[in-house]
Short mmCIF file of all heavy atoms in Angstrom, two decimals:
data_model
loop_
_atom_site.label_atom_id
_atom_site.label_comp_id
_atom_site.label_asym_id
_atom_site.label_seq_id
_atom_site.Cartn_x
_atom_site.Cartn_y
_atom_site.Cartn_z
N LEU A 303 -45.41 21.92 -54.35
CA LEU A 303 -46.01 20.51 -54.60
C LEU A 303 -47.54 20.58 -54.51
O LEU A 303 -48.02 21.37 -53.63
CB LEU A 303 -45.49 19.61 -53.53
CG LEU A 303 -44.21 18.89 -53.73
CD1 LEU A 303 -43.67 18.18 -52.46
CD2 LEU A 303 -44.36 17.84 -54.88
N ILE A 304 -48.17 19.99 -55.42
CA ILE A 304 -49.63 19.82 -55.31
C ILE A 304 -50.02 18.43 -55.29
O ILE A 304 -49.85 17.66 -56.16
CB ILE A 304 -50.31 20.51 -56.56
CG1 ILE A 304 -49.62 21.91 -56.80
CG2 ILE A 304 -51.71 20.75 -56.33
CD1 ILE A 304 -49.99 22.38 -58.16
N LEU A 305 -50.58 18.13 -54.16
CA LEU A 305 -51.06 16.72 -53.91
C LEU A 305 -52.02 16.74 -52.70
O LEU A 305 -52.09 17.63 -51.86
CB LEU A 305 -49.95 15.77 -53.70
CG LEU A 305 -49.26 15.76 -52.30
CD1 LEU A 305 -48.36 14.38 -52.29
CD2 LEU A 305 -48.46 17.02 -52.07
N GLU A 306 -53.01 15.76 -52.77
CA GLU A 306 -54.05 15.71 -51.75
C GLU A 306 -53.44 15.10 -50.40
O GLU A 306 -53.81 15.61 -49.27
CB GLU A 306 -55.21 14.89 -52.17
CG GLU A 306 -56.06 15.54 -53.25
CD GLU A 306 -56.71 16.89 -52.82
OE1 GLU A 306 -57.37 16.89 -51.69
OE2 GLU A 306 -56.49 17.83 -53.50
N ARG A 307 -52.68 14.17 -50.43
CA ARG A 307 -52.14 13.48 -49.45
C ARG A 307 -50.83 12.76 -49.67
O ARG A 307 -50.69 12.48 -50.91
CB ARG A 307 -53.16 12.58 -48.63
CG ARG A 307 -53.88 11.67 -49.55
CD ARG A 307 -55.02 10.88 -48.88
NE ARG A 307 -55.66 10.08 -49.76
CZ ARG A 307 -56.73 10.46 -50.53
NH1 ARG A 307 -57.14 11.63 -50.40
NH2 ARG A 307 -57.33 9.58 -51.40
N PRO A 308 -49.93 12.35 -48.85
CA PRO A 308 -50.00 12.72 -47.35
C PRO A 308 -49.55 14.19 -47.07
O PRO A 308 -49.21 14.82 -48.07
CB PRO A 308 -48.93 11.68 -46.78
CG PRO A 308 -47.99 11.56 -47.92
CD PRO A 308 -48.74 11.74 -49.26
N LYS A 309 -49.51 14.54 -45.84
CA LYS A 309 -49.00 15.86 -45.38
C LYS A 309 -47.49 16.02 -45.73
O LYS A 309 -46.91 15.04 -45.50
CB LYS A 309 -49.33 16.01 -43.98
CG LYS A 309 -50.70 16.26 -43.62
CD LYS A 309 -51.30 17.46 -43.98
CE LYS A 309 -52.73 17.71 -43.65
NZ LYS A 309 -53.44 18.63 -44.57
N ILE A 310 -47.17 16.96 -46.36
CA ILE A 310 -45.75 17.14 -46.76
C ILE A 310 -44.99 17.96 -45.69
O ILE A 310 -43.72 17.79 -45.59
CB ILE A 310 -45.74 17.95 -48.24
CG1 ILE A 310 -46.33 16.98 -49.19
CG2 ILE A 310 -44.38 18.32 -48.67
CD1 ILE A 310 -45.74 15.67 -49.32
N MET A 311 -45.57 18.92 -45.08
CA MET A 311 -44.74 19.75 -44.17
C MET A 311 -43.77 18.96 -43.28
O MET A 311 -42.65 19.42 -42.94
CB MET A 311 -45.64 20.67 -43.28
CG MET A 311 -46.08 21.85 -44.28
SD MET A 311 -44.73 22.74 -44.86
CE MET A 311 -45.40 22.99 -46.46
N PRO A 312 -44.20 17.80 -42.63
CA PRO A 312 -43.23 17.04 -41.93
C PRO A 312 -41.83 16.73 -42.56
O PRO A 312 -40.89 16.40 -41.90
CB PRO A 312 -44.00 15.83 -41.37
CG PRO A 312 -45.41 16.23 -41.58
CD PRO A 312 -45.54 17.02 -42.70
N HIS A 313 -41.94 16.79 -43.82
CA HIS A 313 -40.70 16.21 -44.59
C HIS A 313 -40.02 17.37 -45.25
O HIS A 313 -38.89 17.14 -45.96
CB HIS A 313 -41.26 15.18 -45.70
CG HIS A 313 -42.04 14.11 -45.15
ND1 HIS A 313 -41.54 13.11 -44.49
CD2 HIS A 313 -43.37 13.92 -45.26
CE1 HIS A 313 -42.49 12.26 -44.09
NE2 HIS A 313 -43.61 12.76 -44.58
N VAL A 314 -40.50 18.48 -45.23
CA VAL A 314 -39.96 19.78 -46.07
C VAL A 314 -38.48 19.96 -45.50
O VAL A 314 -37.67 20.25 -46.48
CB VAL A 314 -40.92 21.00 -45.86
CG1 VAL A 314 -40.07 22.30 -46.27
CG2 VAL A 314 -42.08 20.76 -46.78
N VAL A 315 -38.17 19.98 -44.27
CA VAL A 315 -36.81 20.39 -43.88
C VAL A 315 -35.80 19.36 -44.45
O VAL A 315 -34.79 19.73 -44.97
CB VAL A 315 -36.77 20.44 -42.28
CG1 VAL A 315 -35.25 20.71 -41.86
CG2 VAL A 315 -37.45 21.79 -41.85
N THR A 316 -36.23 18.12 -44.33
CA THR A 316 -35.35 17.07 -44.95
C THR A 316 -35.11 17.18 -46.44
O THR A 316 -34.12 17.07 -46.93
CB THR A 316 -36.00 15.71 -44.55
OG1 THR A 316 -36.29 15.59 -43.19
CG2 THR A 316 -34.95 14.54 -44.83
N MET A 317 -36.12 17.59 -47.15
CA MET A 317 -36.09 17.75 -48.51
C MET A 317 -35.13 18.84 -48.82
O MET A 317 -34.26 18.89 -49.69
CB MET A 317 -37.50 18.08 -49.11
CG MET A 317 -38.52 17.02 -49.23
SD MET A 317 -40.09 17.58 -49.88
CE MET A 317 -41.18 16.28 -49.49
N ARG A 318 -35.37 19.96 -48.11
CA ARG A 318 -34.46 21.12 -48.33
C ARG A 318 -33.07 20.86 -47.99
O ARG A 318 -32.13 21.30 -48.76
CB ARG A 318 -35.05 22.32 -47.49
CG ARG A 318 -36.36 22.90 -47.90
CD ARG A 318 -36.88 23.90 -46.95
NE ARG A 318 -36.08 25.09 -46.91
CZ ARG A 318 -36.06 25.81 -45.69
NH1 ARG A 318 -36.46 25.52 -44.57
NH2 ARG A 318 -35.28 26.97 -45.85
N GLU A 319 -32.86 20.17 -46.93
CA GLU A 319 -31.39 19.70 -46.51
C GLU A 319 -30.83 18.75 -47.62
O GLU A 319 -29.66 18.62 -47.79
CB GLU A 319 -31.48 18.97 -45.26
CG GLU A 319 -31.64 19.97 -44.03
CD GLU A 319 -31.87 19.35 -42.71
OE1 GLU A 319 -32.07 18.04 -42.62
OE2 GLU A 319 -31.82 19.96 -41.65
N THR A 320 -31.65 18.02 -48.26
CA THR A 320 -31.20 17.09 -49.25
C THR A 320 -30.87 17.87 -50.58
O THR A 320 -29.79 17.58 -51.28
CB THR A 320 -32.34 16.10 -49.67
OG1 THR A 320 -32.72 15.34 -48.42
CG2 THR A 320 -31.87 15.10 -50.70
N ILE A 321 -31.74 18.85 -50.99
CA ILE A 321 -31.66 19.52 -52.26
C ILE A 321 -30.53 20.62 -52.25
O ILE A 321 -29.67 20.65 -53.15
CB ILE A 321 -32.87 20.12 -52.67
CG1 ILE A 321 -33.91 19.11 -52.94
CG2 ILE A 321 -32.76 21.02 -54.05
CD1 ILE A 321 -35.40 19.52 -52.91
N ALA A 322 -30.42 21.35 -51.12
CA ALA A 322 -29.44 22.39 -51.10
C ALA A 322 -27.94 21.99 -51.40
O ALA A 322 -27.42 22.82 -52.29
CB ALA A 322 -29.48 23.10 -49.75
N PRO A 323 -27.48 21.04 -50.80
CA PRO A 323 -26.08 20.69 -51.28
C PRO A 323 -25.89 20.21 -52.70
O PRO A 323 -24.83 20.44 -53.28
CB PRO A 323 -25.67 19.49 -50.26
CG PRO A 323 -26.91 19.03 -49.73
CD PRO A 323 -27.82 20.15 -49.77
N LEU A 324 -26.99 19.58 -53.27
CA LEU A 324 -26.94 19.20 -54.78
C LEU A 324 -26.75 20.49 -55.50
O LEU A 324 -26.17 20.40 -56.67
CB LEU A 324 -28.14 18.45 -55.03
CG LEU A 324 -28.16 16.99 -54.49
CD1 LEU A 324 -29.58 16.46 -54.71
CD2 LEU A 324 -27.22 16.15 -55.02
N LEU A 325 -27.34 21.63 -55.11
CA LEU A 325 -27.25 22.83 -55.99
C LEU A 325 -26.19 23.67 -55.44
O LEU A 325 -26.06 24.71 -56.11
CB LEU A 325 -28.75 23.47 -55.81
CG LEU A 325 -29.90 22.68 -56.32
CD1 LEU A 325 -31.13 23.55 -56.38
CD2 LEU A 325 -29.60 21.94 -57.61
N GLY A 326 -25.48 23.31 -54.36
CA GLY A 326 -24.42 24.17 -53.94
C GLY A 326 -24.84 25.47 -53.26
O GLY A 326 -24.17 26.49 -53.39
N VAL A 327 -25.93 25.35 -52.70
CA VAL A 327 -26.55 26.57 -51.90
C VAL A 327 -26.94 26.32 -50.51
O VAL A 327 -26.90 25.10 -50.20
CB VAL A 327 -27.84 27.13 -52.73
CG1 VAL A 327 -27.51 27.54 -54.02
CG2 VAL A 327 -28.94 26.01 -52.67
N ALA A 328 -27.07 27.33 -49.73
CA ALA A 328 -27.65 27.16 -48.32
C ALA A 328 -29.13 26.72 -48.38
O ALA A 328 -29.73 26.90 -49.19
CB ALA A 328 -27.29 28.39 -47.52
N ILE A 329 -29.39 26.04 -47.28
CA ILE A 329 -30.88 25.52 -47.17
C ILE A 329 -31.85 26.64 -47.26
O ILE A 329 -32.96 26.52 -47.74
CB ILE A 329 -31.00 24.82 -45.80
CG1 ILE A 329 -32.36 24.21 -45.78
CG2 ILE A 329 -30.71 25.61 -44.50
CD1 ILE A 329 -32.70 23.23 -44.52
N ASP A 330 -31.47 27.86 -46.88
CA ASP A 330 -32.32 28.98 -46.91
C ASP A 330 -32.60 29.57 -48.43
O ASP A 330 -33.29 30.44 -48.64
CB ASP A 330 -32.14 30.22 -46.03
CG ASP A 330 -30.87 30.95 -46.29
OD1 ASP A 330 -30.18 30.57 -47.25
OD2 ASP A 330 -30.56 31.91 -45.50
N ALA A 331 -31.92 29.02 -49.40
CA ALA A 331 -32.06 29.37 -50.78
C ALA A 331 -33.04 28.26 -51.42
O ALA A 331 -33.24 28.34 -52.56
CB ALA A 331 -30.73 29.30 -51.48
N ILE A 332 -33.57 27.32 -50.65
CA ILE A 332 -34.40 26.25 -51.24
C ILE A 332 -35.73 26.43 -50.41
O ILE A 332 -35.81 26.23 -49.16
CB ILE A 332 -33.87 24.95 -51.09
CG1 ILE A 332 -32.48 24.81 -51.70
CG2 ILE A 332 -34.91 23.92 -51.50
CD1 ILE A 332 -32.43 24.93 -53.23
N SER A 333 -36.74 26.81 -51.10
CA SER A 333 -38.14 26.96 -50.58
C SER A 333 -38.96 25.86 -51.26
O SER A 333 -39.08 25.71 -52.45
CB SER A 333 -38.63 28.38 -50.81
OG SER A 333 -40.05 28.34 -50.66
N ILE A 334 -39.67 25.16 -50.37
CA ILE A 334 -40.68 24.16 -50.76
C ILE A 334 -42.04 24.31 -49.99
O ILE A 334 -42.09 24.36 -48.86
CB ILE A 334 -40.20 22.73 -50.42
CG1 ILE A 334 -38.91 22.38 -51.10
CG2 ILE A 334 -41.21 21.71 -50.89
CD1 ILE A 334 -38.11 21.14 -50.74
N LYS A 335 -42.94 24.62 -50.86
CA LYS A 335 -44.30 24.84 -50.32
C LYS A 335 -45.24 23.61 -50.77
O LYS A 335 -44.81 22.91 -51.72
CB LYS A 335 -44.87 26.17 -50.87
CG LYS A 335 -43.73 27.30 -50.61
CD LYS A 335 -44.38 28.60 -51.00
CE LYS A 335 -44.78 28.74 -52.56
NZ LYS A 335 -43.61 28.45 -53.46
N ALA A 336 -46.39 23.57 -50.20
CA ALA A 336 -47.28 22.45 -50.62
C ALA A 336 -48.65 22.93 -50.49
O ALA A 336 -49.03 23.78 -49.49
CB ALA A 336 -47.09 21.13 -49.74
N THR A 337 -49.55 22.42 -51.29
CA THR A 337 -50.97 22.75 -51.34
C THR A 337 -51.77 21.54 -51.88
O THR A 337 -51.13 20.64 -52.43
CB THR A 337 -51.26 24.01 -52.18
OG1 THR A 337 -52.54 24.35 -51.99
CG2 THR A 337 -51.00 23.89 -53.70
N THR A 338 -53.07 21.54 -51.61
CA THR A 338 -53.81 20.48 -52.30
C THR A 338 -54.47 21.13 -53.50
O THR A 338 -54.42 22.24 -53.84
CB THR A 338 -54.93 19.98 -51.25
OG1 THR A 338 -55.98 20.97 -51.08
CG2 THR A 338 -54.38 19.60 -49.89
N SER A 339 -55.31 20.25 -54.24
CA SER A 339 -56.12 20.70 -55.39
C SER A 339 -57.63 20.89 -54.92
O SER A 339 -58.51 20.95 -55.70
CB SER A 339 -55.93 19.95 -56.44
OG SER A 339 -56.65 20.48 -57.57
#
Side-chain angles (χ1 to χ4, degrees):
L303 269 168
I304 314 171
L305 75 171
E306 289 298 309
R307 51 187 174 268
K309 290 285 178 208
I310 293 305
M311 278 308 134
H313 307 287
V314 159
V315 170
T316 310
M317 291 179 190
R318 294 169 68 209
E319 288 171 346
T320 301
I321 295 165
L324 289 168
L325 301 192
V327 297
I329 184 173
D330 68 358
I332 304 296
S333 161
I334 300 171
K335 311 180 301 299
T337 187
T338 72
S339 189

